[in-house]
């Protein structure tokens, strides 16, 4: 998994299902043994939906998208959270150590057919959407919270993300 830099993890808990993106430098998903993988829980949007769900119901599904490859790798398994110091220290990036790691015991693993990604043209640069044609993150929040200052949020977003990446 040395080339993998992105996947989505689906989990289920008392409040329903959750699917969230996970990404980092290539190799951030580690093979611990022939049926176990681990990845760090990096900073995100300060929501703990996936972690909370794993504590209640350990079943997870991971969908790996590998840039340039149309097949997707799918893993279904059971997860648990780890605070093992050695493992967490192995995930340090830019001096930042994750608080937890997620360990997934693989039940099934397989490649998914490439047709969906081919039909979508996902890796075709000419198919990329111009972000200016979509509402901004701040505008989306303001659409459900009228008092939200979308202009201020959007103006500070890039700098905030850069400073809190790890």
């Amino acid at each position: 998994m040395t080339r993998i830099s992105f996947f989505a993890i689906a989990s289920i808990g008392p409040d329903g299902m959750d699917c969230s993106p996970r990404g980092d430098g290539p190799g951030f998903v580690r093979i611990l043994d022939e049926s176990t993988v681990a990845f760090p829980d990096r900073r995100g949007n300060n929501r703990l939906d996936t972690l909370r769900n794993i504590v209640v119901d350990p079943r997870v599904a991971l969908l790996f998208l590998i840039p340039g490859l149309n097949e997707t790798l799918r893993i279904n398994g059971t997860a648990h959270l780890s605070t093992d110091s050695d493992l967490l220290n192995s995930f340090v990036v830019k001096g930042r150590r994750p608080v937890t790691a997620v360990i997934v015991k693989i039940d099934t693993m397989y490649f998914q057919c490439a047709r969906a990604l081919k039909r979508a043209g996902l890796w075709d640069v000419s198919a990329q959407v111009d972000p200016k044609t979509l509402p901004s993150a701040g505008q989306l929040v303001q659409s459900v919270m009228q008092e939200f200052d979308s202009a201020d949020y959007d103006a500070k977003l890039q700098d905030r993300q850069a400073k809190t990446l790890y």
Side-chain angles (χ1 to χ4, degrees):
M1 305 200 110
T2 59
R3 304 285 310 248
I4 291 177
S5 60
F6 177 83
F7 70 94
I9 181 170
S11 62
I12 189 162
D15 295 327
M17 296 186 296
D18 175 63
C19 185
S20 68
R22 301 297 168 115
D24 211 336
F28 84 105
V29 178
R30 306 272 170 78
I31 298 172
L32 300 184
D33 62 41
E34 64 186 27
S35 63
T36 313
V37 296
F39 58 91
D41 183 52
R42 297 275 186 222
R43 293 181 67 148
N45 58 3
N46 296 321
R47 296 188 57 92
L48 299 173
D49 301 319
T50 302
L51 302 182
R52 203 174 12 238
N53 287 349
I54 288 170
V55 170
V56 174
D57 184 337
R59 294 175 297 166
V60 295
L62 292 80
L63 176 67
F64 295 88
L65 297 177
I66 303 164
L69 185 65
N70 284 318
E71 287 80 11
T72 61
L73 175 64
R74 293 179 57 180
I75 290 177
N76 294 325
T78 54
H80 70 273
L81 307 180
S82 174
T83 57
D84 178 81
S85 291
D86 291 337
L87 181 61
L88 296 177
N89 288 337
S90 76
F91 287 122
V92 170
V93 173
K94 296 187 179 187
R96 301 292 300 217
R97 179 179 181 244
V99 176
T100 59
V102 179
I103 298 177
V104 178
K105 179 78 169 160
I106 300 168
D107 293 329
T108 59
M109 181 174 75
Y110 53 94
F111 282 97
Q112 185 73 42
C113 172
R115 289 180 186 90
L117 273 67
K118 283 184 176 185
R119 286 189 294 257
L122 191 62
W123 310 123
D124 182 354
V125 174
S126 68
Q128 291 182 354
V129 175
D130 179 358
K132 294 178 183 133
T133 65
L134 301 171
S136 69
Q139 290 168 334
L140 288 172
V141 174
Q142 191 175 40
S143 73
V144 294
M145 296 172 50
Q146 269 59 47
E147 70 282 359
F148 187 79
D149 186 346
S150 65
D152 183 61
Y153 181 87
D154 289 337
K156 296 176 180 174
L157 182 61
Q158 295 298 321
D159 187 53
R160 184 173 54 250
Q161 287 176 340
K163 288 179 180 173
T164 61
L165 194 57
Y166 289 95

